[in-house]
Amino acid sequence: MGKATRVSMAVVRRLPRYHRYLGELLKNDVRRISSRELSERMGVTASQIRQDLNCFGGFGQQGYGYNVEELYSAITKILGLDKSYNSIIVGAGNLGQAIAGYTNFEKSGFTLKALFDKNPKLIGLRIRDIEILDVDILADFLNENKIDIGILCIPRSSAQQIADILTHNGVRAIWNFSVTDLNVPDNVIVENVHLSDSLYTISYRLNEDELFKTIEKDKQKAFN
Ligand code: NAI
């Protein structure tokens, strides 16, 4: 099951986008923005933005719009990006190494402490100076180091077994790239990532016009 959120996940999923857009505005020295302008830029209605922010007490004033810096720092806090988190990656193959090599997560406060793998050829190698350790010592490592987030980049066949080791040894959240649903205690957060969802959305959009032409044709046929 995993840990439930107090506000709807739809709202939570929009927050990182608000954060990103406001960060861009700040970089471009935009200090104030009307709710209409923000909504146009983001493709979300102004009332949606207001409703979302109201879940956390509300920000900005009607007529004056939003103070970009204030809103950005408020959303930074709401997202918990003013804190730091320790993470590990289990599965140091293509995906695990790619994630480990991406330094921007560290800039946002997510420190990668180690990678783990079962392949002896990988154990002992370093990605950005972070060592790939033997998965056999995973539980011991977790007992000696406070790790908040476990990043699963292993095949689905071993994902549950590794998730159990993580959750039994203090890991509070799993970023799950292994394409399988995990059973975790109620206090553990699981975020499943399926890059294919995003890719399939592209393929839907590539085909949408044709799809609706066919639907219209079928409707016409049904009428005649
Ligand atoms: P890969 O084969 O390059 O890497 C997998 C690594 O996991 C290997 O180094 C292997 O030795 C290690 N491993 C396997 N079982 C293990 C265990 N019990 N403990 C520790 N290490 C173990 O595969 P790749 O391309 O990195 O993909 C990894 C997984 O992520 C696959 O299951 C793949 O389907 C999935 N994936 C998911 C995506 C998503 O969007 N959710 C995108 C790409 C891959």
Side-chain angles (χ1 to χ4, degrees):
M1 272 294 291
K3 193 168 184 276
T5 45
R6 287 169 199 240
V7 300
S8 93
M9 274 308 286
V11 175
V12 177
R13 294 210 186 283
R14 282 192 287 272
L15 293 174
R17 253 185 96 215
Y18 293 148
H19 188 261
R20 188 155 37 85
Y21 272 77
L22 290 161
E24 290 295 321
L25 290 173
L26 266 188
K27 264 190 213 150
N28 293 325
D29 258 345
V30 178
R31 300 281 142 192
R32 197 163 271 285
I33 189 162
S34 69
S35 55
R36 190 178 52 80
E37 210 183 328
L38 184 61
S39 77
E40 273 168 11
R41 279 181 188 239
M42 293 200 46
V44 184
T45 65
S47 94
Q48 179 79 80
I49 295 177
R50 258 194 308 278
Q51 272 178 38
D52 287 351
L53 297 179
N54 278 342
C55 296
F56 307 97
F59 302 91
Q61 283 169 314
Q62 209 127 28
Y64 291 91
Y66 297 109
N67 176 319
V68 176
E69 199 165 3
E70 268 174 33
L71 190 56
Y72 178 76
S73 82
I75 295 179
T76 300
K77 274 196 188 147
I78 291 169
L79 283 170
L81 293 173
D82 55 337
K83 300 185 184 138
S84 52
Y85 305 91
N86 288 334
S87 66
I88 55 158
I89 292 176
V90 185
N94 292 311
L95 184 61
Q97 291 196 26
I99 293 173
Y102 185 62
T103 53
N104 268 7
F105 296 137
E106 311 252 313
K107 288 181 198 147
S108 313
F110 299 90
T111 304
L112 182 63
K113 290 292 186 184
L115 294 98
F116 291 87
D117 207 284
K118 66 173 189 182
N119 181 349
K121 286 186 184 149
L122 293 173
I123 295 164
L125 298 182
R126 287 176 177 271
I127 314 288
R128 289 196 298 115
D129 222 28
I130 305 160
E131 195 173 358
I132 302 176
L133 302 173
D134 189 335
V135 75
D136 283 350
I137 64 157
L138 178 60
D140 291 341
F141 181 92
L142 293 173
N143 284 312
E144 283 159 23
N145 298 274
K146 187 184 168 292
I147 299 298
D148 306 291
I149 305 169
I151 305 173
L152 283 193
C153 300
I154 45 177
R156 69 167 87 189
S157 50
S158 35
Q160 185 62 54
Q161 181 214 342
I162 297 295
D164 290 343
I165 298 176
L166 296 176
T167 57
H168 292 162
N169 292 284
V171 173
R172 297 186 295 143
I174 297 178
W175 199 18
N176 179 28
F177 287 84
S178 300
V179 189
T180 188
D181 290 332
L182 299 171
N183 288 316
V184 295
D186 283 347
N187 61 342
V188 173
I189 296 151
V190 177
E191 181 68 21
N192 296 314
V193 184
H194 298 289
L195 295 182
S196 53
D197 289 2
S198 186
L199 189 61
Y200 295 174
T201 306
I202 290 184
S203 98
Y204 168 82
R205 293 178 67 183
L206 282 171
N207 290 289
E208 193 184 45
D209 289 345
E210 209 173 310
L211 175 70
F212 274 88
K213 266 187 212 152
T214 315
I215 291 172
E216 280 307 319
K217 259 191 208 155
D218 289 349
K219 267 192 203 159
Q220 300 277 334
K221 264 190 213 159
F223 268 126
N224 298 331

